Amino acid sequence: MRTTTDRGPISATASAASGHGEAASHPARRTLFKAAGAATLATAGLTVAQRPAAAAEETRHDVIVVGAGLAGVTAARELRAKGKRVLLLEARDRIGGRTWTDTWQGQQIERGGTWVDPTQPHVWRELSRYNIPIVADSGVDRAILPTLTGFQEYDPVEAYERQNELFTPFFDGSREYFPRPYEPFAREDLIRRLDRFSLRDRLDQLDYAPEDEIRLTSTTSLYGGSSERGAMTHLAQWWALAGWNFEGFHGVNTFRPQPGTIALVRAILDDADADVRLNSPVASVTQRGSLVRVTTRAGRHHLAPEVVMAVPVNVWRTIEFDPPLPVAHRVASHQGFGVPHEKKLWLDLANPDDRFVAEAPEGYPICIMGRFNEGALTVAFSVKDTFDVSDRAQVESAVRDIIPDARLAGYTATDWHADEFALGVGVFRQPFQLIKLHRDIQQPHGNVKFATADIADGWSGYIDGAIESGLRVAGSPTLSQAQAMSMASAAALPRVDRGSYRSLWAF
Ligand SMILES: Cc1cc2nc3c(=O)[nH]c(=O)nc-3n(C[C@H](O)[C@H](O)[C@H](O)COP(=O)(O)OP(=O)(O)OC[C@H]3O[C@@H](n4cnc5c(N)ncnc54)[C@H](O)[C@@H]3O)c2cc1C
């Protein structure tokens, strides 16, 4: 990997100072676009006069990949393997995107995507390809769950079993409407009828007793952003992908790469041997004739016959495309794909100090928090738009809403909605988005293609989906339904007891 920034090569010092920047390596190859190139541009309809002074520094590659998240690095590696010279433009001062391994108070934390699972075959295959060790969270000793009269403590196994009884009927029929979960339209006739329903519609349809429903809305609100916003088909597809049962669904939040998700991103990127430019947010993408010109906010131009936009769907609306994106792409980006207001917090709790999981019903600032390993920090998630994680008093009060005698020694939080290069978390579709938009937004726009977990066929919204999408955009085979299923059953795992109550929540 050769890493530079839009302002030139970065130094190891600058990278370390940023806290999460990548180490510098060699400067990128800069092909100056001289006379012959300028003529090509003019033919392509872009006159020299239209370009700012910095335009002299144009580069030329076989493919430009925009975005160094897992979809982007996978695409870059696969394209390189096909003999293409790849330029990878990344807006931030780090790689990894919505995965972000960081250190806080001396402990490794994941600010974004964390857990992986053998039922997620693309990521599992990559982890074994690069020999990245996996660890399992060890689970909890008690579960704190909402009741109609306040929060109550439960034995974790008892809580798990009850959750299983309550959740399983939610997905009744999913074997029929998602018989092959990696092919979301295998039963298009049924999906057409079902994609209109929100998670709230399904809760209402099942008419849970109030004391039962209150135990489900932590999950439905967290995954969907709110129970009204999230599509029932999306959660049902995840249920199907996890093997149509609660054990699989619950278990996807058990294993994580021991050296952090960054280890996987780096390993893939090393194989991509791409010219990587950090701090290079892309402002516009212009197609003329057979060339695509990508321009960064700093005014640098990069040319290639093919471009892969490996940025989140929500970010498409912040980039100027000429010609404009097709209607479906614009609608998807403006409607918003995924949970809009999600924040992930790491809490240093002086009390409690045991391993626990706590859930709150929809509407609470924190919907789930837990300490899943001895001596570890506590992780918490929020989807409430008015919850200001920069305000310590609000955070303290949110924790005490659930555990009144909690003592907060410190915390760090990441607001993914406020992050201009994410504009939200992993995708969770709204009603009608699967049937009306999903297939269209996978389609290329001329010589511009799209890759992101948000548009994956299988685990969309997960790391696995990002890798699936990166493979697909590069023309590499994705795993078939049958391969995925047989890999999941054959996976050599550090088996853990999934019967102990851990967390239902990936995010
Ligand atoms: C809080 C949280 C928890 C999660 N938990 C899990 C989990 O436990 N398990 C799991 O599997 N998944 C989880 N996910 C989801 C998973 O992290 C994502 O689905 C996946 O990482 C997305 O990868 P991607 O490559 O599609 O997009 P991204 O990782 O978002 O990569 C896109 C890249 O494009 C760059 N970019 C954006 N705009 C521009 C621009 N204008 N110019 C240049 N570059 C640009 C971004 O900086 C970024 O690096 C979680 C996500 C979050 C945020």
Side-chain angles (χ1 to χ4, degrees), residues 46-360:
L46 302 168
T47 64
V48 175
Q50 286 173 319
R51 290 181 277 138
E57 296 204 52
E58 280 169 339
T59 66
R60 190 102 189 228
H61 290 78
D62 297 328
V63 187
I64 299 168
V65 175
V66 181
L70 275 150
V73 297
T74 304
R77 181 192 66 190
E78 296 299 306
L79 291 162
R80 179 71 202 141
K82 292 178 167 67
K84 310 257 185 177
R85 279 187 321 115
V86 178
L87 171 67
L88 184 48
L89 295 174
E90 167 54 49
R92 307 176 207 254
D93 63 355
R94 63 172 180 85
I95 56 173
R98 284 172 283 176
T99 59
W100 180 4
T101 310
D102 201 4
T103 304
W104 185 69
Q105 295 205 341
Q107 292 202 32
Q108 176 182 298
I109 59 168
E110 295 285 357
R111 293 186 179 273
T114 307
W115 288 286
V116 294
D117 194 73
T119 59
Q120 299 172 338
H122 298 98
V123 64
W124 206 257
R125 183 172 65 170
E126 296 295 340
L127 289 163
S128 81
R129 170 179 179 160
Y130 294 111
N131 283 319
I132 296 174
I134 311 284
V135 285
D137 282 338
S138 51
V140 297
D141 301 318
R142 62 192 176 113
I144 300 163
L145 300 177
T147 72
L148 293 178
T149 52
F151 289 91
Q152 198 176 308
E153 201 172 300
Y154 295 85
D155 169 76
V157 175
E158 185 197 324
Y160 175 91
E161 279 164 6
R162 184 70 187 133
Q163 211 77 351
N164 181 357
E165 283 166 13
L166 293 175
F167 250 119
T168 302
F170 196 92
F171 304 108
D172 275 355
S174 56
R175 272 186 193 275
E176 279 70 55
Y177 58 86
F178 284 130
R180 298 192 296 280
Y182 288 86
E183 298 166 31
F185 299 107
R187 286 299 309 270
E188 186 166 350
D189 54 331
L190 298 178
I191 294 302
R192 277 196 173 280
R193 301 209 313 254
L194 293 171
D195 198 36
R196 72 190 61 226
F197 297 114
S198 68
L199 297 164
R200 167 49 54 201
D201 291 331
R202 183 64 175 152
L203 289 168
D204 290 347
Q205 186 187 38
L206 289 174
D207 199 17
Y208 288 103
E211 64 271 26
D212 291 335
E213 186 184 295
I214 204 175
R215 287 175 68 154
L216 299 180
T217 57
S218 165
T219 301
T220 53
S221 64
L222 176 60
Y223 277 143
S226 74
S227 303
E228 281 78 18
R229 183 182 168 96
M232 193 268 282
T233 51
H234 204 134
L235 203 58
Q237 191 186 1
W238 286 352
W239 175 271
L241 286 160
W244 296 279
N245 61 60
F246 185 73
E247 188 189 354
F249 183 71
H250 178 77
V252 297
N253 309 317
T254 304
F255 302 104
R256 58 197 158 76
Q258 188 188 34
T261 51
I262 186 64
L264 181 59
V265 183
R266 281 202 186 113
I268 298 175
L269 190 53
D270 280 352
D271 268 0
D273 190 30
D275 280 353
V276 181
R277 295 200 177 192
L278 302 179
N279 297 309
S280 303
V282 164
S284 68
V285 177
T286 305
Q287 301 189 59
R288 291 288 185 273
S290 58
L291 273 185
V292 186
R293 185 170 78 170
V294 175
T295 306
T296 64
R297 287 184 193 168
R300 290 249 157 85
H301 300 309
H302 304 279
L303 293 166
E306 190 184 334
V307 167
V308 173
M309 294 302 295
V311 302
V313 166
N314 290 354
V315 169
W316 294 347
R317 64 178 185 260
T318 68
I319 296 170
E320 194 185 323
F321 289 88
D322 178 13
L325 287 177
V327 173
H329 294 69
R330 278 182 278 148
V331 167
S333 189
H334 283 277
Q335 277 183 353
F337 252 47
V339 180
H341 292 286
E342 191 159 328
K343 297 112 184 164
K344 183 171 181 180
L345 301 93
W346 287 96
L347 313 172
D348 178 7
L349 290 182
N351 184 62
D353 61 3
D354 62 341
R355 296 177 313 163
F356 71 96
V357 65
E359 298 165 30

